[in-house]
Amino acid sequence: MDIAWHLWVVLVSLVASSQGQPSQDVVNVGAIFTFGSINGKVSKIAMKAAEADVNSDPTVLGGRKLSISMHDSNFSGFLGIIGALQFMESDTVAIIGPQNSGMAHVLSHLANQLHVPMLSFTALDPTLSPLQYPYFIQTAPNDLFQMIAIAEIISYYGWGEVVAMYSDDDHSRNGVTILGDVLSDRRCKISYKSALPPDPTSTRDDVAVELNKIKLQECRVIVLHTFSKTGLLVFEMAKELGMMEKGYVWIASTWLSTVLDSNSPLPPSTVATFQGVLTLRPHTAESKRKSDFISRWNEMSNGSIGFNPYALYAYDTVWIIARALKTFLSQGNNISFTDDPTIDGFGRGYLNLRALSIFNAGDKLLNDILQTKMTGLTGPIKFTSDRSLLHPAYDVINVKQDGSQEIGYWTNYSGLSVIAPEILYEKPPNRSSANQHLDGVVWPGGSTSTPRGWVFPNNGRELRIGVPRRVSYRDFLEQINGTDEVRGYCIDVFLAAIELLPYAVPYKFIPFGDGKKNPSYNELVNMIASGIFDAAVGDIAIVTNRTKIADFTQPYAESGLVVVAPVRKLNSSSWTFLRPFTPVMWIVTGAFFLIIGAVVWILEHRINDEFRGPPRDQIVTVLWFSFSTMFFSHRENTVGSLGRMVLIIWLFVVLIINSSYTASLTSILTVEHLSSPISGVDSLISSTVSIGYQVGSFAENYMIDQLSIPKSRLIALGSPEEYASALEDGTVAAVVDEKPYIELFLSNYCKFSIRGQQFTKSGWGFAFPRDSPLAIDMSTAILALSENGELQKIHDRWLLKKACKGPQGSNAGSDQLNIKSFWGLFLICGIACVLALITYFGLMIRKFSRHQPQESSPAYRCKSPSARLQTFLSFADEKEDRSRRHAKRKRNDQMGNGAESGSMSINESSTSKSPA
């Protein structure tokens, strides 16, 4: 047995007397509410009206009467437990209620044990899971949908953070937890949670303490999820503390709409305490039945309380039970109860709980309730597979001085819209951001412009902005004459951006560093995370380890690491003509000239007289032919198909090589070129030379962690002068630094140059604490500066310097052409040569086998391999025409012998056929 069940039983010292079986003409239903609350009052009236309407229609229960017994829990969980036990003793088939979610969690265990369905339209905690509480049913949209609606309103207005204020009970606490989850799905968050004592026990002091804490927060968007007594007290105290003025945003859950609806008209002094607040009201479809019910509300309530939508849910809940009972009885089921054997032991002593009995067909009635489909006062009623109602929806209400006004709707079908949900249901769902709309809002303080939702913490204290105290490259940032005043490129960008913000930002620059060397930028960013600084402005590179502890604005300058090294000017010399190709390229090209000459000679030797003659002449011919193809001036003609194929491919390769050589040599002779043993970061990694870096830069950690360069090879340098001195005297072979610094360095030092390509991609930005709204607004301002050209003007004003003449500051690379650029051409040519030779030797072997028929004779087989090879080579060296004439004579002889034998056969045949 459940431990909680034992606890409740021990708490209840109620002597229960067993009651007899109820009359078969009466069906008992219980209702547990706090009838002194707003929702309790309207629910009691509506349920009695529904009871009367059900009993007036004999077709519903087949002549039986529905009896709803009311129990007032009076804000007490203990009294709620007693009421539930009393209902269970009287063989109740269903219970409407309880009113709050805390009691629902408790009483649902009782419903599970005794198989009695429990229906509530006010206990809407999303954590009341049907898996844990199968006999508990929510007949109004649960608070998951209300929290989604609030989250989408927050997202619609672009707020990134909210403060959640709530009563510390199951209902409100779990609702706020769900709100945090759905906000995170929309890249928002709850920045602060303010818990109040459970309603209605909160006092003015409790509320004042929490509101003063909220005033110290940066966020000004407050979600209030509580009940009417506490909620009204919060707004009263917020008005006194100046928290209902311009800049604040208040969003209240549905409790406020019930206050507005049930107490209309409210006194102007009360409305003034929550003017400008947004709230939600459960949306119910318009219908004639609903209008008729509302029109007779005053008669039913005797003017004791105004109407609110929960009266409709109460009325429909009674009818859901009645419809389910009609189906239940029509299927031949009986209403019967049996003792629960698990509590037999509790029947002795002072507690007589044996009157508690199990509803035998409770599971069938539960299923009939869940299968109910009807049109009630709230509109079409149908439960989905997860037991939520079909198409949950809310009205979005704005409280104004002259009352409340609907500014739109929220539905789980299409999100926020100014179109009624019933119209949207007839169209395909569309939850795109472009389709989300609400009418204009009057915010607290009477403002009609959307508040930005946050202010600076501590009620407007100046922002403490850390700026690095640089000792080099002061064009970027410089402290003036030892004062706290700073200037430079980065400062001008910050000032220009902050001028574009739609609000004033008080700030104070605080120099960071000892003034003797550049400070550590990682340490500067860490001081933001630790709260020492509220922001950091300067030439701060946006790198991975920094983004983990702070938020950065949109980059205002491109950056990245580059290599700078000494270069020497390459002057023209008597051997300049060799510079277009690398040595390997020259060797490979020369080798291919010889290879092509040899291949063409082999292919043409037997059939072309120009490739025949004494060996010395043939060597000269091959050399002359191969190198003359460089200028397309070869005199020897190729007559064989294979030779022509190889030659045409080689001439194409020669054409490409000649063109590339000519272009490269022209560039070398007409453009000034620089040379350095350092060709880029790859050559630095593979070497053992020393490398310089700027003090405070992230380049040190990057080279150690990412490039695996030993720290012993790295030398810290503090200024452009140190760069130049270390590079000139060989202390370092190269310097690795961010591109903006190097560009400024090269504008004054012309003996050096950037080598290779930029090997990281990053930018400079301003740093702020994580999730700071100011970072987003500053990013927008920086983008505006970029679009209107002001960002480029600031850059040119500080950094556009041209002290050096000529291209020394450019990225000079090697102009030599290497084998990588041509290996594809050489590969094609080589493959063509190999295929041609294979084909040629295949044909030669075939011809040789036909030319030597005596190969199969014993005398030929007795020859040594060297003799056979010599025979083949002699055959291959013969001129093709002679071998052809020999083969032709042989074929003619064979054909002549064949003709003579054929003639003799004919004559013999003629003789044999002549008459005797």
Side-chain angles (χ1 to χ4, degrees):
M1 186 183 298
D2 196 288
I3 296 176
W5 167 245
H6 289 290
L7 178 61
W8 305 327
V9 173
V10 172
L11 290 174
V12 181
S13 57
L14 174 67
V15 179
S17 59
S18 176
Q19 300 183 14
Q21 291 292 330
S23 171
Q24 293 296 316
D25 295 333
V26 177
V27 180
N28 292 324
V29 173
I32 304 174
F33 280 86
T34 295
F35 293 119
S37 65
I38 293 176
N39 285 339
K41 291 177 182 179
V42 299
S43 299
K44 182 177 182 180
I45 296 169
M47 287 188 291
K48 284 299 182 183
E51 179 187 25
D53 291 346
V54 169
N55 290 332
S56 65
D57 186 352
T59 63
V60 179
L61 297 179
R64 298 178 185 239
K65 295 295 182 181
L66 182 68
S67 175
I68 301 180
S69 301
M70 306 283 186
H71 177 80
D72 187 0
S73 60
N74 195 26
F75 299 101
S76 170
F78 179 76
L79 294 179
I81 295 173
I82 292 177
L85 291 172
Q86 288 176 337
F87 287 145
M88 297 305 181
E89 292 171 3
S90 60
D91 295 339
T92 299
V93 298
I95 294 177
I96 301 175
Q99 186 169 339
N100 65 71
S101 299
M103 284 304 303
H105 280 279
V106 175
L107 297 183
S108 291
H109 290 281
L110 180 61
N112 290 350
Q113 183 70 23
L114 300 179
H115 297 181
V116 176
M118 184 175 291
L119 296 81
S120 180
F121 48 88
T122 54
L124 303 176
D125 183 356
T127 64
L128 287 163
S129 165
L131 296 176
Q132 184 178 8
Y133 307 115
Y135 282 86
F136 182 81
I137 305 170
Q138 294 169 330
T139 57
N142 76 33
D143 281 348
L144 168 64
F145 301 105
Q146 181 179 193
M147 294 303 130
I148 293 176
I150 292 174
E152 293 197 1
I153 291 172
I154 292 168
S155 179
Y156 173 75
Y157 288 110
W159 299 313
E161 297 182 7
V162 301
V163 170
M165 198 173 190
Y166 60 97
S167 295
D168 198 9
D169 55 36
D170 286 344
H171 172 83
S172 301
R173 183 171 53 250
N174 291 339
V176 168
T177 300
I178 295 296
L179 176 62
D181 293 340
V182 295
L183 281 174
S184 65
D185 293 339
R186 292 155 179 80
R187 303 188 69 180
C188 305
K189 71 172 187 176
I190 298 177
S191 61
Y192 181 74
K193 293 182 180 180
S194 175
L196 296 169
D199 187 88
T201 61
S202 292
T203 65
R204 292 175 62 87
D205 290 341
D206 296 329
V207 174
V209 169
E210 291 302 318
L211 288 177
N212 279 312
K213 291 179 181 178
I214 293 174
K215 285 187 69 174
L216 298 178
Q217 302 299 313
E218 189 177 75
C219 180
R220 286 294 181 262
V221 181
I222 306 167
V223 176
L224 183 58
H225 186 44
T226 180
F227 298 96
S228 58
K229 184 178 183 299
T230 300
L232 292 174
L233 183 58
V234 167
F235 282 128
E236 180 183 341
M237 295 302 299
K239 181 73 173 177
E240 293 180 10
L241 295 173
M243 298 178 68
M244 298 302 297
E245 303 298 328
K246 183 177 179 181
Y248 280 90
V249 176
W250 287 85
I251 303 175
S253 52
T254 53
W255 68 265
L256 181 55
S257 65
T258 63
V259 172
L260 295 171
D261 293 336
S262 301
N263 297 283
S264 181
L266 286 168
S269 58
T270 303
V271 176
T273 61
F274 43 78
Q275 182 181 347
V277 174
L278 295 181
T279 186
L280 299 176
R281 175 197 294 136
H283 177 80
T284 55
E286 298 297 329
S287 65
K288 186 178 186 304
R289 290 182 61 202
K290 174 183 172 181
S291 300
D292 293 342
F293 184 83
I294 295 174
S295 64
R296 61 190 179 102
W297 179 259
N298 285 335
E299 179 184 347
M300 293 186 293
S301 64
N302 293 320
S304 61
I305 191 168
F307 168 84
N308 75 51
Y310 289 101
L312 304 178
Y313 286 107
Y315 184 91
D316 283 351
T317 300
V318 174
W319 272 97
I320 289 173
I321 295 173
R323 297 282 188 187
L325 283 169
K326 179 181 180 180
T327 303
F328 175 84
L329 295 172
S330 67
Q331 294 172 346
N333 296 305
N334 294 320
I335 299 175
S336 61
F337 297 83
T338 57
D339 294 339
D340 186 352
T342 61
I343 58 175
D344 283 347
F346 293 94
R348 302 184 182 92
Y350 294 103
L351 295 178
N352 182 16
L353 301 177
R354 300 185 68 179
L356 300 177
S357 53
I358 297 174
F359 183 13
N360 294 326
D363 56 342
K364 295 180 180 179
L365 179 59
L366 173 67
N367 183 66
D368 290 335
I369 290 173
L370 294 175
Q371 296 299 320
T372 298
K373 296 180 182 179
M374 56 177 273
T375 300
L377 299 184
T378 58
I381 296 174
K382 178 183 177 183
F383 292 99
T384 62
S385 58
D386 61 354
R387 294 195 180 186
S388 61
L389 289 173
L390 189 67
H391 296 324
Y394 293 91
D395 302 331
V396 184
I397 309 297
N398 181 209
V399 183
K400 299 183 178 180
Q401 189 172 5
D402 54 353
S404 61
Q405 178 183 348
E406 289 184 4
I407 60 170
Y409 309 91
W410 177 89
T411 68
N412 197 42
Y413 188 76
S414 294
L416 298 171
S417 176
V418 294
I419 303 173
E422 291 72 31
I423 298 175
L424 294 175
Y425 297 150
E426 298 175 358
K427 303 176 181 179
N430 186 351
R431 295 183 67 89
S432 65
S433 58
N435 200 50
Q436 306 297 294
H437 297 289
L438 289 175
D439 287 333
V441 178
V442 176
W443 303 98
S447 172
T448 56
S449 59
T450 302
R452 71 175 184 266
W454 65 277
V455 296
F456 297 106
N458 296 336
N459 205 19
R461 174 180 56 81
E462 284 184 332
L463 287 182
R464 297 162 299 178
I465 299 179
V467 293
R469 183 180 292 169
R470 294 197 59 87
V471 297
S472 62
Y473 296 112
R474 296 192 176 188
D475 295 280
F476 294 104
L477 199 146
E478 177 186 13
Q479 183 180 7
I480 302 176
N481 298 328
T483 66
D484 289 343
E485 187 176 353
V486 289
R487 67 183 179 185
Y489 166 66
C490 303
I491 297 299
D492 279 8
V493 173
F494 175 79
L495 296 177
I498 212 164
E499 286 295 324
L500 296 181
L501 298 182
Y503 47 85
V505 179
Y507 61 87
K508 179 182 180 181
F509 291 128
I510 302 175
F512 169 70
D514 57 12
K516 299 178 181 178
K517 64 178 181 179
N518 294 331
S520 169
Y521 283 45
N522 287 336
E523 185 178 346
L524 174 61
V525 176
N526 283 324
M527 294 179 75
I528 298 174
S530 61
I532 299 175
F533 291 137
D534 299 315
V537 170
D539 46 343
I540 307 171
I542 305 173
V543 293
T544 303
N545 64 326
R546 296 173 185 172
T547 58
K548 294 178 180 178
I549 57 177
D551 279 354
F552 283 84
T553 62
Q554 169 80 15
Y556 64 86
E558 291 186 1
S559 182
L561 294 178
V562 294
V563 177
V564 64
V567 292
R568 61 183 179 84
K569 184 177 178 181
L570 292 177
N571 297 316
S572 297
S573 68
S574 57
W575 299 100
T576 299
F577 70 92
L578 294 176
R579 278 171 48 191
F581 289 165
T582 61
V584 174
M585 180 65 181
W586 279 117
I587 293 171
V588 172
T589 303
F592 258 86
F593 274 109
L594 297 177
I595 290 171
I596 294 300
V599 169
V600 172
W601 179 84
I602 292 172
L603 298 176
E604 294 289 321
H605 177 65
R606 299 186 74 245
I607 59 176
N608 193 337
D609 291 335
E610 294 184 0
F611 288 90
R612 299 186 64 82
R616 192 173 75 173
D617 293 345
Q618 290 303 297
I619 293 173
V620 174
T621 299
V622 169
L623 294 175
W624 167 257
F625 175 82
S626 59
F627 287 104
S628 63
T629 57
M630 180 186 301
F631 311 102
F632 308 99
S633 59
H634 50 283
R635 295 176 300 178
E636 295 78 9
N637 294 321
T638 53
V639 298
S641 299
L642 294 177
R644 289 175 177 175
M645 179 192 73
V646 171
L647 183 60
I648 197 66
I649 294 174
W650 173 244
L651 291 178
F652 175 74
V653 174
V654 169
L655 176 64
I656 300 300
I657 292 175
N658 280 345
S659 301
S660 302
Y661 176 87
T662 303
S664 180
L665 183 61
T666 302
S667 174
I668 290 171
L669 295 176
T670 57
V671 178
E672 187 176 52
H673 288 266
L674 308 174
S675 176
S676 170
I678 304 299
S679 60
V681 67
D682 292 335
S683 62
L684 284 181
I685 296 173
S686 60
S687 67
T688 59
V689 297
S690 297
I691 305 170
Y693 68 92
Q694 184 179 176
V695 175
S697 171
F698 76 95
E700 178 186 13
N701 290 335
Y702 182 87
M703 286 189 286
I704 294 173
D705 298 336
Q706 303 298 324
L707 304 182
S708 300
I709 296 176
K711 189 174 182 178
S712 58
R713 290 178 54 193
L714 305 181
I715 297 177
L717 303 173
S719 66
E721 293 76 15
E722 291 186 30
Y723 283 17
S725 176
L727 289 170
E728 287 177 348
D729 61 23
T731 304
V732 297
V735 172
V736 173
D737 204 353
E738 295 178 67
K739 191 173 182 179
Y741 301 127
I742 295 302
E743 288 177 342
L744 197 61
F745 170 74
L746 294 177
S747 66
N748 294 315
Y749 295 91
C750 306
K751 299 178 181 179
F752 313 103
S753 174
I754 296 174
R755 308 302 299 169
Q757 301 296 321
Q758 177 177 306
F759 57 94
T760 66
K761 187 71 174 178
S762 62
W764 289 352
F766 305 133
F768 292 89
R770 295 299 299 269
D771 301 319
S772 171
L774 189 56
I776 299 174
D777 291 347
M778 285 293 287
S779 293
T780 304
I782 290 171
L783 285 174
L785 290 175
S786 177
E787 291 171 358
N788 63 24
E790 185 62 26
L791 198 60
Q792 186 62 42
K793 292 179 182 177
I794 297 173
H795 175 275
D796 294 345
R797 184 165 61 248
W798 283 97
L799 306 178
L800 190 61
K801 299 182 178 181
K802 298 181 179 179
C804 287
K805 304 296 182 182
Q808 286 87 343
S810 63
N811 181 10
S814 175
D815 295 298
Q816 287 187 307
L817 301 173
N818 54 48
I819 192 64
K820 293 181 181 179
S821 303
F822 300 94
W823 72 267
L825 289 172
F826 287 128
L827 179 64
I828 293 172
C829 191
I831 292 173
C833 291
V834 171
L835 292 177
L837 290 174
I838 291 174
T839 303
Y840 175 78
F841 283 113
L843 293 173
M844 286 297 300
I845 292 172
R846 181 182 176 187
K847 292 177 181 179
F848 179 70
S849 63
R850 292 180 177 179
H851 180 67
Q852 299 290 339
Q854 69 277 20
E855 287 181 3
S856 58
S857 64
Y860 184 83
R861 286 197 300 267
C862 293
K863 290 185 177 181
S864 64
S866 60
R868 295 178 186 178
L869 178 61
Q870 186 175 2
T871 302
F872 175 75
L873 294 177
S874 298
F875 173 77
D877 189 53
E878 292 180 359
K879 197 169 186 308
E880 177 70 22
D881 292 343
R882 185 183 306 166
S883 61
R884 284 181 181 176
R885 285 194 298 270
H886 177 74
K888 186 176 180 180
R889 259 196 323 268
K890 190 172 182 181
R891 285 197 301 271
N892 290 338
D893 292 340
Q894 292 175 351
M895 290 178 62
N897 295 333
E900 290 178 0
S901 61
S903 176
M904 291 175 61
S905 299
I906 292 173
N907 292 334
E908 290 175 357
S909 177
S910 300
T911 306
S912 62
K913 289 182 181 180
S914 60

